Amino acid sequence: MSAVESWSRVMNLLREHAPADHADLPGPAPEGVLAAAEERMGVSLPQDLRAWLLQNNLDLPEDEVDDDVACCGYAGFPDEGSFFLGIRAMERLYANHPLSGGGEWREEWIPFLSDQDGWTGRFIDAKDGRIGRWFVGEPTLTGEYASLAPYFDSVAEMLTRIGAGDYPACSVVDGRLVWL
């Protein structure tokens, strides 16, 4: 399954189980926005990441961005403490990553999920498309998933369990994911 197909599965499950959360999510990023971000970052977006952003660019509207936090996103999705990043948030965190400068962060790693402080999250390796994760103060893990598709499949599995009432850390209230 491709990243686009896996993400579509996530969106279908979110629409089914948490329709209010699904309704909040924005549409695609324009190609020009992606090209401009690539130029500013000096790295080409992996095809999977580009395809995902062309479906849903998860940046908050400009007037909802909090300049006092490292990253902003739609709270509560995909989990309680982190959120998927849109291209503006990716670019901002890429430029100011907490692990930069110490040899612990590589320029080919593009963050796509983070907490508000940028202390923990997931990235895609622009060289090979593999997914890794970081947590400040712990070793960075590379190659946790082969690509975005299996990672999105794991999110879909979690949403399936939430919808079935078989995920104790989360329930759905008034069409929204509520983390316990």
Side-chain angles (χ1 to χ4, degrees):
M1 192 175 288
S2 73
V4 169
E5 292 167 328
S6 294
W7 181 251
S8 293
R9 182 174 168 224
V10 168
M11 289 293 93
N12 289 336
L13 287 163
L14 191 65
R15 183 183 307 113
E16 178 183 346
H17 299 303
D21 283 335
H22 180 271
D24 287 345
L25 300 179
E31 179 64 43
V33 169
L34 300 182
E38 286 176 319
E39 187 172 320
R40 286 188 296 269
M41 290 190 299
V43 65
S44 294
L45 299 176
Q47 192 57 39
D48 277 357
L49 184 62
R50 176 178 289 283
W52 174 53
L53 290 167
L54 288 171
Q55 283 197 320
N56 286 98
N57 177 29
L58 298 176
D59 275 322
L60 288 175
E62 289 283 343
D63 60 338
E64 293 182 31
V65 173
D66 184 347
D67 291 330
D68 293 330
V69 298
C71 297
C72 293
Y74 291 85
F77 179 64
D79 61 41
E80 173 182 35
S82 59
F83 39 82
F84 290 115
L85 304 175
I87 192 63
R88 282 191 333 263
M90 285 178 197
E91 188 177 356
R92 183 176 176 187
L93 184 55
Y94 182 83
N96 301 301
H97 199 280
L99 295 179
S100 295
E104 298 175 39
W105 190 258
R106 296 184 191 154
E107 64 184 39
E108 64 267 17
W109 293 345
I110 302 171
F112 70 90
L113 181 134
S114 179
D115 67 341
Q116 284 190 345
D117 300 322
W119 290 91
T120 185
R122 295 189 186 275
F123 61 86
I124 185 168
D125 189 316
K127 287 186 175 180
D128 61 18
R130 294 182 312 151
I131 306 303
R133 66 181 155 104
W134 80 89
F135 191 97
V136 173
E138 292 184 12
T140 300
L141 178 63
T142 59
E144 185 177 19
Y145 294 92
S147 68
L148 279 175
Y151 172 71
F152 289 152
D153 286 343
S154 75
V155 174
E157 291 304 317
M158 177 189 67
L159 287 171
T160 299
R161 289 184 60 204
I162 290 168
D166 186 31
Y167 200 81
C170 186
S171 63
V172 178
V173 176
D174 297 328
R176 296 199 179 276
L177 299 174
V178 177
W179 298 90
L180 311 172

